[in-house]
Amino acid sequence: MNAPANPHRFVSATSLMSFARRVGRVRQVSAGRIEADGPFATVGEFCSIEADDGAAPMLAEVVAVGDERVVLMPLGYARAVAPDARVTAVGHSGSAPVGHGVAGRLVSALGAPLDGRGEIFADEHRPIEGCVLEPLMRKEPDHVLETGLRVIDGLLPLGRGQRTGVFAASGVGKTTLMRQLAVQTDADKVVVCLVGERGKEVEGFWRAIQSMGAPQRFSMVAATSDMSAVLRARSVLQALCLCEFWRDQGQDVLLVIDSVTRAAMAMREIGLAAGAPPTVRAYTPNRGAIRRWTLRAAFRDRQSG
Ligand SMILES: Nc1ncnc2c1ncn2[C@@H]1O[C@H](COP(=O)(O)OP(=O)(O)OP(=O)(O)O)[C@@H](O)[C@H]1O
Ligand SMILES: [Mg+2]
């Protein structure tokens, strides 16, 4: 075996590695929330929890840590988890797969294919926390965005790089309007993120954008209402990373999130499970992340244009 070319780099790399398995034991299980006495882990880290019925271990995300206590939320249905089940830290999944391979595809919150069209090959993995442009680096919208909807283009024109919300009571046509925006707007790439919708709505939206031709223009990220709050919240981060990838390639990207309210509800579920105090409408302080998400999605870079 050849010796490493630069032994110092090898030594410094090994100093960052963990050679010990980090494990703990389940101490309490309640609806969507698992408490364990370990492992030593940080918030956002994934752990695998062994199932009592011999089935494959279940993945869960660490949502809170305290003195000898870790709170986890399962990524799937929390079945057959018994007290004393082994919890093993498997590390952060702090990056999202992005790239041209995702163009024209329907993916899950973790970037896995949901459209039955085979594996997706990512060009790169982007850190899910992304970055927000400094205030002075943000470019004001200076070009009109044509939506193809005369009532918007005529009375409430939008600009490229702008973010806007569609606010209305339930069942009055928000999703229908956003579907029209997604298929008609003049953008190089359109990323649709469906958070907490029913499967039927995902199918309807997907068929609408498939029928438009130019399938490579559209990508969709979906985490339906039956999925865990962790995945519903994460779907927005996957969509943001996709948008940022194409934005950095100089493309105009339209991001449609349906809905930010349901993403906030997912954040509330996570916050309450983590033991955060409920505030207005029982929303927990972690919903502040949504403000950051909207800042990531908007604005073009003054330097790159
Ligand atoms: N302009 C319109 N004219 C007539 N019917 C419409 C119009 N827009 C939407 N609808 C109908 O209204 C119903 C509800 O629409 P949609 O699902 O878009 O509402 P929503 O505001 O997204 O609801 P929710 O708050 O539950 O997400 C659908 O059956 C849709 O076909
Ligand atoms: Mg809707």
Side-chain angles (χ1 to χ4, degrees):
M1 202 176 96
N2 292 336
N6 181 345
H8 300 299
R9 266 176 53 196
F10 177 75
V11 170
S12 60
T14 53
S15 69
L16 295 172
M17 293 170 75
S18 167
F19 293 101
R21 283 182 67 190
R22 292 174 291 144
V23 293
R25 294 278 172 183
V26 169
R27 289 289 162 244
Q28 198 177 8
V29 183
S30 51
R33 181 180 197 275
I34 296 168
E35 260 186 56
D37 61 10
F40 179 81
T42 53
V43 171
E45 201 162 345
F46 284 173
C47 292
S48 88
I49 304 175
E50 68 182 18
D52 200 36
D53 57 2
M58 183 179 63
L59 266 186
E61 185 176 317
V62 176
V63 295
V65 290
D67 280 350
E68 299 171 9
R69 190 189 72 123
V70 177
V71 180
L72 303 119
M73 283 190 85
L75 266 59
Y77 176 59
R79 41 122 188 89
V81 176
D84 223 33
R86 185 200 293 258
V87 183
T88 309
V90 294
H92 274 273
S93 175
S95 61
V98 297
H100 300 294
V102 192
R105 302 295 302 264
L106 168 60
V107 299
S108 74
L110 297 174
L114 292 179
D115 51 9
R117 294 193 196 154
E119 203 177 335
I120 291 174
F121 297 98
D123 291 337
E124 58 180 271
H125 285 73
R126 293 206 148 209
I128 54 170
E129 65 270 18
C131 68
V132 174
L133 288 174
E134 299 287 333
L136 295 184
M137 298 302 289
R138 298 174 193 165
K139 192 174 175 184
E140 294 295 316
D142 51 6
H143 283 80
V144 169
L145 177 75
E146 283 181 31
T147 66
L149 294 165
R150 273 180 288 177
V151 68
I152 294 181
D153 292 345
L155 299 175
L156 186 72
L158 302 177
R160 289 180 191 273
Q162 182 182 339
R163 66 210 141 112
T164 191
V166 178
F167 304 98
S170 54
V172 296
K174 299 181 295 295
T175 300
T176 308
L177 177 64
M178 282 194 268
R179 203 181 292 176
Q180 280 182 285
L181 276 171
V183 297
Q184 292 180 204
T185 300
D186 169 30
D188 300 321
K189 291 280 183 212
V190 178
V191 177
V192 178
C193 180
L194 297 185
V195 189
E197 297 283 325
R198 288 175 295 150
K200 197 169 165 44
E201 283 170 304
V202 173
E203 189 194 4
F205 212 134
W206 181 239
R207 295 216 182 287
I209 56 181
Q210 290 294 294
S211 65
M212 289 307 293
Q216 295 294 308
R217 251 186 90 209
F218 300 98
S219 300
M220 186 182 275
V221 183
T224 45
S225 53
D226 55 302
M227 292 182 179
S228 82
V230 169
L231 289 178
R232 278 180 274 140
R234 170 113 182 182
S235 65
V236 181
L237 301 177
Q238 171 69 45
L240 284 168
C241 287
L242 266 178
C243 293
E244 288 164 348
F245 170 77
W246 279 307
R247 178 197 63 188
D248 294 349
Q249 307 247 322
Q251 308 222 39
D252 280 329
V253 189
L254 173 70
L255 170 63
V256 176
I257 303 177
D258 190 3
S259 72
V260 174
T261 306
R262 293 199 182 106
M265 289 172 175
M267 297 297 283
R268 177 169 62 187
E269 271 181 58
I270 296 169
L272 291 174
T279 57
V280 182
R281 292 190 187 175
Y283 284 107
T284 46
N286 62 341
R287 73 168 169 170
I290 291 171
R291 198 173 306 121
R292 190 168 187 282
W293 295 350
T294 57
L295 286 172
R296 273 176 69 180
F299 303 113
R300 287 176 299 156
D301 190 330
R302 216 173 255 284
Q303 280 179 343
S304 65

